[in-house]
Amino acid sequence: MSVRVRFAPSPTGYLHVGGARTALYNYLHARRAGGVFVLRIEDTDAERSTPESLAAIYDSMRWLGLAWDEGPDAGGAHGPYIQSERRARYRAHAGTLLAARRAYPCYCTPAELEARREQQLARGEPPRYDGRCRALDAAARAAHEAAGRPAALRFALEDSGEVAWDDAVRGRVAFRSDVLDDFVILRSDGLPTYNFACVVDDHEMEISDVIRGDDHISNTPRQILLDRAFGWTPPRFAHVPMILGSDGTRLSKRHGATSVSSYRDMGILPEALVNFLALLGWSLDGQRELFSLAELEQLFSIDRVGSNPAIFNIEKLEWMNGQHMKRLAEDDRLARVEAFLAAHGRDVSAHPREWRAALVRAIGDRLKTLADAERYGAFALDDALAVDPIAWSELLEKPDVGPRLASLADRVAADSEFSLASLEQVTRGLAAELGIKAGDLMSAARVALTGRKVAPGLFEVMTLLGREKAVRRLRDAASRWAEERQARTV
Ligand code: GLU
């Protein structure tokens, strides 16, 4: 049987990193096997599904590079791929179960169900449907219909002792079927429940493997029983353990960002997020950590996904991002930085290409995330200089610093060559004349020119600013130094 997998998000919010990992594992499983990756939209919860959320899911999947072979806007022979467009199919399949007496109409109202549920709980029993409408005879049904009572359709469960499957991640999993009840398959508004729509779609879309989060494990016996009632072979299942936050509880907003798009906004590369998510549960050999998507497509195997929950460690993601940043070709790195800056309101296209490339080179290894281009490049990108008060007090509030910076400004203004080499010579020459350490002069100048202690190399900074701006900032710092001194002595 050929491999066909699906990722089946509900468009009720952004794409969560956990969902993205599920999508990735499905994608990789398909690619490795030369199979098909289907995207199916589970929007039967009409109240919570929104077009914005659907657009956000597509956008995040595309950004990650998880191209689907079949699905909305990709087409395919098993469509439609949006559940709200498949209602007639669910009704037809529900009709089959009804005719085979494996489903029956239920006229119980929500209030009646709730009252019985509370009684069961009060008696210390697990709440489950008591099968009342299963026992109705034709006359009783006709009476309910005549009274215009809305009917849901319930699955008529057969006690089969045990429902079990061999899970690709967890091994053999078994449930006693008597913990289940006659669950609803079609609501009274005609919409299918998740379990029913899922089974119908997985069958019609010829899904061979269902890879999903283990929060769905309790749905699996219901789905297998539905498959059996139809006479269909259930897919193979792989239930992937959940992702935990640093404190060992389920990853949530309390731990920080959980949407794919927020990592994009932080300047994480899709390559790094894919790599990081792949390793949240899977490993090749317990050693190797860096993989491209293309490599994962060759190497991933669902058998090597562990059954222990994985911890989402943001420092690790940032480290990985730095590694992937280094792997990018220079042109590519520059293009990503430019796109990131543009998306964050800093259009750099007015600067010559060579200048932009020099800025990225100057930031060098400090470029761990694309946002570092903003952080370490702001001195050159913005006209106004924001000075870090701590950097100022540590490096500028010292005797003689102002006049030294003023002298450096004069020397820089007079340096006709204005190259990295000449600027270095000028700066070191001045320090020697003054009898001070070149490093001291340079760190004060770095704060004067960039506003920060940690910044690219001083001479790169000067050439990026250009003579005029560099001289002006050195003089501005010298004046501020003098004013503050004055203010203190008065
Ligand atoms: N729509 C379900 C979800 O988002 C899909 C579950 C499944 O993969 O069967 O959790």
Side-chain angles (χ1 to χ4, degrees):
M1 186 171 161
S2 62
V3 166
R4 290 177 56 88
V5 294
R6 83 308 192 271
F7 175 53
S10 302
T12 54
Y14 52 72
L15 183 61
H16 187 281
V17 287
R21 184 191 58 168
T22 299
L24 174 65
Y25 284 7
N26 276 286
Y27 170 89
L28 294 174
H29 186 67
R31 286 291 165 274
R32 169 83 193 269
V36 173
F37 176 48
V38 176
L39 176 64
R40 178 169 82 220
I41 302 301
E42 302 207 328
D43 61 344
T44 53
D45 186 344
E47 271 164 34
R48 292 175 58 226
S49 300
T50 65
E52 294 75 28
S53 160
L54 188 56
I57 291 169
Y58 291 163
D59 192 48
S60 291
M61 299 255 310
R62 291 199 176 105
W63 180 72
L64 288 168
L66 306 182
W68 51 99
D69 307 303
E70 291 179 25
D73 42 317
H78 301 73
Y81 295 94
I82 300 190
Q83 285 188 332
S84 57
E85 296 170 15
R86 301 176 58 81
R87 286 178 202 168
R89 291 159 191 270
Y90 306 129
R91 272 198 295 275
H93 285 294
T96 306
L97 290 186
L98 196 59
R101 298 184 179 276
R102 291 306 311 276
Y104 59 89
C106 169
Y107 302 94
C108 300
T109 66
E112 288 165 353
L113 293 171
E114 183 51 32
R116 268 143 51 199
R117 198 183 118 84
E118 273 164 24
Q119 286 162 10
Q120 287 171 334
L121 287 173
R123 290 196 298 266
E125 294 167 12
R128 56 214 296 273
Y129 183 65
D130 59 8
R132 183 167 308 211
C133 289
R134 188 170 180 167
L136 295 179
D137 60 18
R141 277 188 190 151
H144 281 309
E145 294 291 334
R149 274 245 201 182
L153 212 56
R154 284 187 188 270
F155 182 52
L157 207 82
E158 275 173 5
D159 185 12
S160 49
E162 199 184 61
V163 193
W165 71 94
D166 286 316
D167 195 281
V169 173
R170 304 172 64 110
R172 188 180 151 84
V173 182
F175 279 81
R176 275 176 30 214
S177 66
D178 61 9
V179 301
L180 306 173
D181 64 359
D182 287 355
F183 54 92
V184 172
I185 57 173
L186 277 192
R187 300 189 194 97
S188 58
D189 61 6
L191 284 177
T193 54
Y194 155 70
N195 278 313
F196 187 63
C198 181
V199 166
V200 168
D201 290 351
D202 286 344
H203 172 73
E204 292 206 330
M205 295 178 184
E206 298 181 58
I207 299 302
S208 61
D209 299 75
V210 166
I211 303 171
R212 61 184 171 197
D214 66 5
D215 48 333
H216 283 288
I217 212 156
S218 62
N219 288 316
T220 306
R222 292 183 179 83
Q223 296 179 4
I224 291 174
L225 290 174
L226 279 171
D227 273 313
R228 278 190 203 155
F230 279 116
W232 300 337
T233 309
R236 288 185 293 258
F237 290 98
H239 288 94
V240 180
M242 62 182 154
I243 301 178
L244 305 180
S246 46
D247 60 354
T249 63
R250 195 192 178 109
L251 183 71
S252 74
K253 285 193 182 138
R254 283 187 302 111
H255 300 104
T258 55
S259 69
V260 168
S261 58
S262 54
Y263 287 95
R264 177 189 193 164
D265 289 343
M266 283 178 217
I268 296 292
L269 299 171
E271 289 89 337
L273 191 54
V274 156
N275 188 162
F276 177 73
L277 291 176
L279 290 182
L280 283 182
W282 172 82
S283 87
L284 179 67
D285 52 13
Q287 302 288 321
R288 182 171 162 191
E289 299 204 285
L290 295 176
F291 300 90
S292 68
L293 184 59
E295 289 165 338
L296 291 168
E297 287 175 21
Q298 301 300 317
L299 298 170
F300 179 83
S301 102
I302 195 75
D303 310 330
R304 292 203 54 87
V305 172
S307 54
N308 291 327
I311 292 191
F312 192 97
N313 176 343
I314 178 90
E315 285 85 29
K316 177 92 178 264
L317 171 59
E318 282 167 356
W319 170 80
M320 241 176 216
N321 204 61
Q323 298 298 312
H324 280 276
M325 200 71 93
K326 282 189 197 156
R327 288 178 156 202
L328 295 178
E330 195 178 338
D331 278 353
D332 194 5
R333 191 178 311 128
L334 179 58
R336 310 266 191 130
V337 166
E338 288 173 0
F340 182 86
L341 291 174
H344 288 75
R346 280 198 168 100
D347 184 358
V348 291
S349 57
H351 291 281
R353 191 185 178 287
E354 192 32 56
W355 183 91
R356 288 178 264 146
L359 176 63
V360 171
R361 271 199 304 273
I363 296 170
D365 284 351
R366 295 196 181 86
L367 197 63
K368 293 236 161 19
T369 70
L370 293 168
D372 290 331
E374 266 188 315
R375 200 169 301 139
Y376 296 110
F379 75 91
L381 297 165
D382 300 340
D383 272 328
L385 182 68
V387 181
D388 168 17
I390 295 175
W392 180 273
S393 75
E394 281 181 18
L395 293 161
L396 274 290
E397 284 173 12
K398 287 183 182 174
D400 305 326
V401 168
R404 286 173 189 165
L405 291 178
S407 306
L408 183 60
D410 293 342
R411 302 286 170 101
V412 170
D415 174 19
S416 56
E417 198 181 309
F418 200 72
S419 67
L420 291 179
S422 70
L423 289 163
E424 175 156 12
Q425 216 169 31
V426 158
T427 308
R428 291 191 186 279
L430 176 63
E433 277 174 42
L434 295 170
I436 58 171
K437 281 193 218 142
D440 289 346
L441 181 59
M442 285 164 65
S443 39
R446 186 180 286 114
V447 175
L449 295 172
T450 67
R452 307 170 52 106
K453 276 198 290 188
V454 182
L458 182 64
F459 311 114
E460 279 89 349
V461 165
M462 289 181 178
T463 53
L464 283 163
L465 288 171
R467 186 199 313 273
E468 198 190 317
K469 221 185 223 179
V471 168
R472 187 172 359 108
R473 286 194 183 169
L474 290 169
R475 294 217 164 107
D476 285 351
S479 317
R480 178 175 160 190
W481 180 91
E483 279 162 27
E484 288 182 359
R485 212 171 104 104
Q486 182 99 47
R488 269 200 298 272
T489 51
V490 169

